């Protein structure tokens, strides 16, 4: 079964064709980074307009680079949410119109769960797994019992990890998106030069909260002024963010004793995070899956891949179904209710 996947939840216009949920035939991503870089963050209205301009040609490119036509696909999978509502609307409206005009079935896929599915495009993942999703919009940890069987264990109560990397980089005038820039500069810096502490929730929960680290970073920047050593600062700042993610991730790993660990989302491209997860996993002898960088970032291959499983369950999207902007337990099964 060949599925055409369409992804427009944020600032990437993407289309891909995946066979049987596993084999990527084409994977086209158009990133709007340049458009948003002057603003130091994604401007929702500009993102939607750009999706409108690009979506048709990106979908056609996904087909032509696979040397396939509309007749050769069996169905369409589109990101239904969460994401920017205007951006999602472009993808969903396009997918509905296309599905109707070529008489193909359509499914609506949860973007977060598709990130968790990304390693399946490269490996046969051993379940149960603990998955960390870390991007510009999300920072959460899931217990993954199997494909489409998930439970959220932890989430951020304020900023996402990628968001604070981007905001601090913007404040320092380093460019956008800040995550990869910080990753690069941090390699030259002393990660022990500036001191941060790991946040602790007052209610004892293991949810994340990144706003305290962001405020501490801003305080140091203001206090040090011209004396601030950018490479050392950026290395120390990245180190606390990565340490916090890894500490929380492995506390759930110890508790649930899964067979593997999954990393997903744009920030999982971070070299320090990948290295720490590798080292910590090897220490305790657990398997880990770090998707290739192109599958960490927003892409449509993960949408087409997970979409295949929606088709298998015959969970079709109704033509009246709207996108959703926040995480909803739609399209996945809660295996346990949160204590
Ligand atoms: O998953 P993604 O492409 O989009 C969503 O936010 O859904 O993630 C984008 C985020 C941005 O915050 C970006 O700065 C961050 O991923 N990022 C990185 C790296 N590459 C991308 N953060 C740290 N290190 C990187 N190498
Ligand atoms: Zn994403």
């Amino acid at each position: 079964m060949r599925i055409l996947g369409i992804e427009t939840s944020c600032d990437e216009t993407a289309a891909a064709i995946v066979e049987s949920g596993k084999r990527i035939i084409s994977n086209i991503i158009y990133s709007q980074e340049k458009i948003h870089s002057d603003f130091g963050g994604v401007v929702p209205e500009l993102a939607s307009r750009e999706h409108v301009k690009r979506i048709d040609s990106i979908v056609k490119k996904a087909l032509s680079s696979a040397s396939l036509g509309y007749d050769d696909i069996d169905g369409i999978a589109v990101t239904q949410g969460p994401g920017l509502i205007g951006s999602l609307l472009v993808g969903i409206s396009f997918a509905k119109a296309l599905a109707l005009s070529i008489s193909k079935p359509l499914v609506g896929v949860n973007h977060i769960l598709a990130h968790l599915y990304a390693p399946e495009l490269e490996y046969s993942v051993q379940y149960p797994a603990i998955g960390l999703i870390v991007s510009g919009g999300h920072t959460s940890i899931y217990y993954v019992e199997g494909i489409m069987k998930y439970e959220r264990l932890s989430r951020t109560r304020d900023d996402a990890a990628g968001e604070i990397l981007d905001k601090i980089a913007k404040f320092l005038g380093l460019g956008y998106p800040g995550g990869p820039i910080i990753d690069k500069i941090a390699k030259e810096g002393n990660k022990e030069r500036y001191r941060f502490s790991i946040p602790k929730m007052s209610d004892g929960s293991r949810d994340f909260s990144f706003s305290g680290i962001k405020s501490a970073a801003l305080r140091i920047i203001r206090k040090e002024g011209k004396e601030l050593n950018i490479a050392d600062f950026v290395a120390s700042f990245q180190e606390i963010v990565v340490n916090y993610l890894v500490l929380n991730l492995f506390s759930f790993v110890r508790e649930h004793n899964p067979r593997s660990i999954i990393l997903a989302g744009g920030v999982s491209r971070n070299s320090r995070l990948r290295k720490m997860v590798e080292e910590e996993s090897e220490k305790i002898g657990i398997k880990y899956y770090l998707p290739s960088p192109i599958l960490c970032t927003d892409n449509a291959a993960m949408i087409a891949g997970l979409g295949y499983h929606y088709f298998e369950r015959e969970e079709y999207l109704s033509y009246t179904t709207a996108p959703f902007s926040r995480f909803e337990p739609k399209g996945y099964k809660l295996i346990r209710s949160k204590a």
Side-chain angles (χ1 to χ4, degrees), residues 319-339:
Y319 284 93
T320 54
T321 311
F324 52 86
S325 58
R326 302 183 76 83
F327 186 90
E328 274 187 17
K330 164 137 180 46
Y332 79 105
K333 192 172 153 224
L334 265 181
I335 53 174
R336 265 176 283 166
S337 57
K338 217 170 166 206

Side-chain angles (χ1 to χ4, degrees), residues 33 162 165-166 169 174-187 234 238 266-267 269-271:
E33 249 167 52
L165 293 170
D166 292 344
L174 299 176
Y176 172 83
I181 300 168
I182 287 179
D183 191 358
K184 196 163 165 225
I185 300 176
K187 292 197 167 78
V234 153
Q238 175 183 270
V267 180
R269 297 173 72 133
N270 184 270
S271 58

Side-chain angles (χ1 to χ4, degrees), residues 9-12 111 115 134-138 161-163 165-166 176-183 238 265-271 296-298:
S9 67
C10 190
D11 62 339
E12 267 91 23
H111 178 87
H115 271 302
V134 59
S135 73
H138 307 279
E163 194 179 348
L165 293 170
D166 292 344
Y176 172 83
I181 300 168
I182 287 179
D183 191 358
Q238 175 183 270
V267 180
S268 59
R269 297 173 72 133
N270 184 270
S271 58
C296 290
T297 304
D298 287 351

Side-chain angles (χ1 to χ4, degrees), residues 272-289:
R272 182 75 187 131
L273 177 61
R274 292 172 87 91
K275 188 158 181 281
M276 274 191 81
V277 169
E278 261 174 47
E279 284 173 1
E280 292 301 310
S281 302
E282 278 160 17
K283 254 189 231 164
I284 57 170
I286 188 168
K287 262 193 111 40
Y288 54 91
Y289 303 101

